[in-house]
Structures are given as C-alpha cells and as structure tokens.
Amino acid sequence: SQQGEEDPQALSIQEGENATMNCSYKTSINNLQWYRQNSGRGLVHLILIRSNEREKHSGRLRVTLDTSKKSSSLLITASRAADTASYFCPPLGGYNKLIFGAGTRLAVHP
Amino acid sequence: GAGVSQSPRYKVTKRGQDVALRCDPISGHVSLYWYRQALGQGPEFLTYFNYEAQQDKSGLPNDRFSAERPEGSISTLTIQRTEQRDSAMYRCASSRVLAGTGELFFGEGSRLTVL
C-alpha cells in the first residue's frame, strides 16, 4: 500500500496533555508529511520530514521518522482545544502522489 | 490568489446530470491534485497534473470522471451522468513544486450532492 496508516484511530485527551500519534507505511519513501483537518474543512500541511532526517520540530510539534521500521510519530505538546482535528500522514515515494489513510481523530477537552 | 479557490462550494444536482467543478490554484503553482473525501474518511486520490500534463489518473473511479488543466493553471473536474454514489466532498490541492517534492495547499472543497 502506498498510504500511511495512522494509529490510533481516535485519541481523547485533556487540554495541556501531550498527544502522540503514530504512522506506518509499507513502501520506500522520499519524504513523509503530516496534515491536519479541522471539522471536515480543508487540510492544512503541518510538517514535512525527509527520508534522511530522523526528527523535526515546528513549534509544539515534534515529528520522528524511522525508515528502518517504516514508521513516523507526531507529538503535540501542551495540547489545546484548537488542536482537535483529524491528522493524516501521507508518505511520498517514487509514485509522486500523496495517498491519505483514514487518519487519527484527536479530541482535546477543555 | 491567496489560496486555492474551488467553485462551486456546494452543488446539488439530479441523477444523470453532468457537473463541472473548478479549481483555481495558487498563482504559480505547478502541480495540481484532485481528491474526493467521504465523511469520516481521508481524502481519496483521483488525479494530478504537472503544469498542463495529466500525470496520473489512476484514481478516477470510471470513465464518467475526467479532468483537464489546459493552460497549466485552472483545472476542471467533470462528472458525467452523475449517480448518487458520486456524492462527496471534492478537494483540490496545488503545490509550488513538481508533484512529489513539496507540501500541498488544499482548497475548501466542493460538496456535491446527487439526488
């Protein structure tokens, strides 16, 4: 499969807690991206990590990539209610198209 | 424009009618993608273009679906003889670099309802 598979399917936490989402894929990749989608609205790009990178930070986001295990993780620290959304991790290989999985639905409760 | 613009935002049509969905990408963006998204699911790939060339249309469900981008900018997704199962959110995205190398910027989508 060319898509990323997010795990867990759903995650519920309290505001201020950290949220960790995992992603697995099956093919070799050039990069892997994380996207967020709030309430069925448009998807927003969060971060891109290249295959030769192991970790990347952007604000409260930390992404790791382990190409030997074909897996990635997204950590959101000090979560906020506004982080409530679905998160997707489409990997990108030689086929030049992003294939999305079902996503992780994160709910952050005040 | 400032972002990817899609029109119409909402389209209700009767079964058997043809519909055309338009995507106006960010100015200068070279690649353009079409996705379809059902409620509670991730976006499903349909097709993509680099400039005006359609590179991959393997995701188009059947020959009732077609897409074009004649001048390498605006794209139109056309669905002929619509069926109820075509009801979904259709999303367009563009990228400033060739497909496969950068982030995608998504529009708000066109919600199609086929009665």
Side-chain angles (χ1 to χ4, degrees), chain A residues 30-31 33 35 37 40-46 48 50 88 92-93 95-103 105, chain B residues 33 35 37 40-45 48 50 56 58-59 89 91 99-108 111:
Chain A
N30 296 326
N31 63 61
Q33 304 183 33
Y35 287 80
Q37 184 175 36
R41 300 198 62 188
L43 288 93
V44 175
H45 178 267
L46 295 177
L48 180 154
R50 303 191 188 285
F88 302 92
L92 188 64
Y95 34 85
N96 289 340
K97 58 191 180 188
L98 292 182
I99 305 297
F100 290 78
R105 293 185 302 281
Chain B
Y33 291 73
Y35 289 87
Q37 188 172 23
Q41 300 296 314
E44 173 193 7
F45 171 80
Y48 83 87
N50 279 336
D56 186 327
S58 62
M89 178 71 83
R91 298 193 184 275
T101 57
E103 66 181 278
L104 299 188
F105 293 82
F106 280 83
E108 290 292 321
R111 180 167 295 284

Side-chain angles (χ1 to χ4, degrees), chain B residues 16 21 23 25 51 53 55 57 66 77 83 85 90 106 111:
Chain B
L21 307 177
C23 174
Y51 300 102
Q55 300 291 332
K57 56 181 181 179
S66 63
L77 177 69
E83 301 177 4
R85 59 178 172 158
Y90 289 82
F106 280 83
R111 180 167 295 284

Side-chain angles (χ1 to χ4, degrees), chain A residues 18-19 30 37 43 54 56 59-60 62 69-70 95 101 107:
Chain A
N18 295 341
N30 296 326
Q37 184 175 36
L43 288 93
R54 293 295 168 260
K56 202 162 182 179
R60 295 183 296 111
R62 172 179 171 256
K69 295 181 179 178
K70 291 186 167 56
Y95 34 85

Side-chain angles (χ1 to χ4, degrees), chain B residues 31-67:
Chain B
S31 67
L32 184 148
Y33 291 73
W34 282 99
Y35 289 87
R36 178 171 70 175
Q37 188 172 23
L39 199 61
Q41 300 296 314
E44 173 193 7
F45 171 80
L46 296 178
T47 185
Y48 83 87
F49 296 81
N50 279 336
Y51 300 102
E52 73 282 358
Q54 190 171 22
Q55 300 291 332
D56 186 327
K57 56 181 181 179
S58 62
L60 296 177
N62 50 60
D63 60 8
R64 295 186 297 106
F65 287 72
S66 63

